[in-house]
Amino acid sequence: MTLLIIGILLWVGAHMFKRLAPEARARMGDKGKGLVALALLASIVLMVIGYRGAAFVNVWYPPSFMVHINNLLMLIAFFVFGLSATTGSLRGRLRHPQLLAVKIWAVAHLLVNGDLASIVLFGSMLIWAGSEVAVINRAESWERPAPGDPKRNLLLVVITVVTFAITAAIHAWLGVWPFPG
C-alpha cells in the first residue's frame, strides 16, 4: 500500500506543480517538461506495483450487475476522453473532457471494486480530477472552440470502440476479465 500511496502523491504533485507553483515551473523551462513527464511515468509504475502488491482488504461487496454499469461507464469515459482531441462537431462541448473522463473511470471502478486498495486508488483519482478542475477553472478563463465537421464524430466513435476493446484485452491479459461470465 505504501508504493500505491507514494505513486498517488507523486501523480498529484506532478500534475498540480504547474498550477500551484507556476513561477518555479516556468524557471525550469523545457527541461521541466521532461522532469514532470518522468515523475508521471514513475507515479504510474508505483501505482501499478503498489496496487497489485497491496493486501486484499475487502470493504464492501459490489453486486454483480455493477460490471455492466462499469463497462458502459468505461465506454463513455473513452468517448469523453476522446472529445479533447476531436475535430468533429462535438469539439468544445465540455471544458475538461480528459478530467471528466478520469472521474467517470474512477467512479466506474469504485462500483465494481470493494477492496481498500481500489478505494484508495480510484477514490484518490476522483478527488484529484475534481480538484484539478477547480484549480484550473479558478486560474484560467476558457474560450469554447468552434465545432468542426460532424463527419469526424464517426471517427471518434470508432476510436472509442477500438480503444475500449484494446483496454479490455489488456485487462484480460493481466488476469482481470472485464466482462460478466
Side-chain angles (χ1 to χ4, degrees), residues 88-154:
S89 64
L90 298 174
R91 175 176 50 190
R93 295 285 176 149
L94 300 172
R95 179 168 182 187
H96 305 289
Q98 291 179 350
L99 292 168
L100 177 57
V102 169
K103 290 188 250 182
I104 296 167
W105 166 84
V107 167
H109 282 77
L110 286 168
L111 291 175
V112 293
N113 295 288
D115 62 291
L116 184 60
S118 294
I119 293 169
V120 169
L121 175 61
F122 302 118
S124 65
M125 291 296 107
L126 179 60
I127 292 167
W128 162 75
S131 301
E132 190 80 26
V133 167
V135 169
I136 292 170
N137 286 348
R138 194 168 356 124
E140 302 171 5
S141 62
W142 183 58
E143 191 171 318
R144 185 180 304 275
D149 181 4
K151 294 177 185 172
R152 302 292 292 180
N153 296 339
L154 181 59

Side-chain angles (χ1 to χ4, degrees), residues 35-100:
L35 291 173
V36 169
L38 187 61
L40 291 171
L41 179 62
S43 72
I44 292 169
V45 169
L46 288 169
M47 284 188 282
V48 169
I49 292 170
Y51 180 75
R52 291 189 64 123
F56 185 83
V57 178
N58 205 39
V59 176
W60 75 291
Y61 297 93
S64 60
F65 71 86
M66 287 294 187
V67 174
H68 301 291
I69 295 170
N70 171 75
N71 288 337
L72 176 61
L73 287 173
M74 287 309 303
L75 197 56
I76 292 168
F78 281 112
F79 181 81
V80 169
F81 192 92
L83 287 173
S84 67
T86 188
T87 56
S89 64
L90 298 174
R91 175 176 50 190
R93 295 285 176 149
L94 300 172
R95 179 168 182 187
H96 305 289
Q98 291 179 350
L99 292 168
L100 177 57

